[in-house]
Amino acid sequence: MSELRYDGRVAIVTGAGHGLGRQHALELAARGAKVVVNDLGGDRSGVGASAGPAQEVVDEIRKNGGEAVANPDNVATPEGAAAIVQAAVDNFGKVDIVVNNAGILRDKSFKNMSVEEWDGVIAVHLRGSFLVTKAAWPHLRENGYGRIVNTSSPAGLFGNFGQANYSTAKMGLVGFTKTLAHEGAKYDIKANAIAPVAWTRMTEDLLPADFKDQLGVDKVTPLVAYLVHESNPDSGEVYTVGGGRIAKILVAEGPGWGTKDELSVEAVRDNWAAINATEPHIVPRNVGEQMGPLIQQLTS
Ligand code: NAI
């Protein structure tokens, strides 16, 4: 079995001072990538800042013989995002790989969620991924090569009590990923998203303690590493990953029900079962494919 390597590749991993990002950075560096280890160094809710966590990961990479540089900037500001990308260009000459991983939690039931708790979470996850990718995009286009992984969450895909801010940001990243995949295709830029489950400081009081040993961050990183490898053929996809299991998440559409007669409220009621049917379903790869059944009805 040939080993997957990243020699000559330059990777940015945001939020790589702890948890999943740290593991992604260590793995990519161990396999030959030059890595910008970004981390703002705050607490789980995003309060505070310290250059320490990013530097510690860089020290570990260097001790193991790898190449890396630390960056303490904030992904959620245009200046911070630009500085992260500039660190890659200044130190290693280019950018090939962007792993948008930085994240915080400010959980509250929707009733009690403040505007600040909403904005803060959207800023780091959604705006941060946008800003870092936006700063890297011209470099990727110019190189005619890029691999992007955005970090979504099962909470975003399926909803989770107390996480209206977080799930909005995480589902937003799915749409972001799918559009980047379309716009990047011409330049061999591939964008995918993961919805991980792992035992980190973010989840240690949320996941069942019994699973701690089985939900290591090392059970997530191999998927990220594969998705950012040049041999990965897929783009615009979302995968759930954790505990050694990986599965594709589908955005699917049921067979639906339609009428050429006037559409009334009663017709909606009377056809509710057909409207809610999920089999057979389609998995459109773009808006054109999604429009297919409607066009068929309009032209039949
Ligand atoms: P973590 O708290 O260990 O790591 C997140 C890192 O992001 C921290 O080191 C933090 O300092 C950094 N960070 C936060 N705000 C930042 C900012 N503005 N700029 C730069 N760095 C910043 O948490 P974990 O679990 O490793 O999370 C990584 C990603 O995975 C997050 O996006 C999280 O939402 C996502 N995720 C994690 C899951 C899990 O089960 N651990 C589940 C679903 C998603």
Side-chain angles (χ1 to χ4, degrees):
M1 220 165 47
S2 67
E3 189 194 2
L4 292 181
R5 299 281 309 173
Y6 303 79
D7 303 295
R9 296 295 182 201
V10 176
I12 292 169
V13 184
T14 69
H18 297 104
L20 287 163
R22 174 178 173 276
Q23 187 69 20
H24 304 337
L26 291 173
E27 183 74 26
L28 292 174
R31 290 171 179 268
K34 295 168 183 157
V35 182
V36 175
V37 176
N38 157 262
D39 205 286
L40 183 60
D43 69 11
R44 185 172 93 156
S45 66
V47 173
S50 160
Q55 190 56 52
E56 278 167 34
V57 174
V58 167
D59 293 345
E60 196 172 339
I61 288 172
R62 290 186 180 152
K63 199 179 73 197
N64 297 335
E67 276 190 74
V69 64
N71 169 282
D73 283 300
N74 184 351
V75 297
T77 68
E79 303 74 29
I84 293 165
V85 172
Q86 202 56 45
V89 174
D90 288 348
N91 288 280
F92 305 130
K94 61 172 181 165
V95 191
D96 299 300
I97 293 166
V98 178
V99 181
N100 288 309
N101 166 83
I104 60 169
L105 280 187
R106 292 182 186 171
D107 291 0
K108 279 280 170 66
S109 67
F110 184 60
K111 175 177 158 288
N112 296 321
M113 186 172 288
S114 68
V115 173
E116 289 72 27
E117 283 157 349
W118 172 273
D119 286 346
V121 167
I122 300 283
V124 175
H125 294 274
L126 192 54
R127 191 164 190 260
S129 298
F130 157 69
L131 288 171
V132 174
T133 308
K134 178 79 180 157
W137 195 255
H139 299 282
L140 305 180
R141 270 181 56 140
E142 204 174 303
N143 294 345
Y145 182 81
R147 295 287 182 271
I148 298 164
V149 166
N150 294 316
T151 308
S152 181
S153 167
L157 294 157
F158 305 111
N160 198 25
F161 195 96
Q163 296 196 311
N165 48 4
Y166 184 77
S167 23
T168 300
K170 291 306 200 185
M171 193 55 166
L173 286 168
V174 171
F176 180 56
T177 301
K178 288 184 178 289
T179 293
L180 289 181
H182 292 307
E183 295 194 15
K186 202 164 104 183
Y187 307 97
D188 194 15
I189 300 172
K190 294 192 162 76
N192 291 283
I194 63 161
V197 182
W199 189 278
T200 68
R201 71 176 192 175
M202 188 179 273
T203 52
E204 59 192 0
D205 55 354
L206 305 170
L207 292 170
D210 291 355
F211 295 145
K212 180 178 178 183
D213 294 341
Q214 294 170 72
L215 291 175
V217 288
D218 57 320
K219 301 280 173 64
V220 172
T221 292
L223 171 65
V224 173
Y226 179 65
L227 291 172
V228 300
H229 194 264
E230 62 200 27
S231 63
N232 161 35
D234 287 307
S235 194
E237 304 296 349
V238 185
Y239 300 91
T240 182
V241 52
R245 177 177 178 272
I246 303 173
K248 185 182 238 181
I249 302 273
L250 307 177
V251 180
E253 180 171 318
W257 166 85
T259 179
K260 291 206 153 203
D261 299 335
E262 197 173 322
L263 184 63
S264 65
V265 186
E266 291 74 22
V268 173
R269 175 198 60 199
D270 295 344
N271 291 283
W272 197 235
I275 290 167
N276 279 288
T278 53
E279 299 296 340
H281 59 256
I282 57 168
V283 183
R285 282 168 300 178
N286 52 50
V287 171
E289 285 187 13
Q290 193 270 334
M291 293 275 286
L294 172 61
I295 303 289
Q296 206 177 1
Q297 177 179 317
L298 296 177
T299 53
S300 67

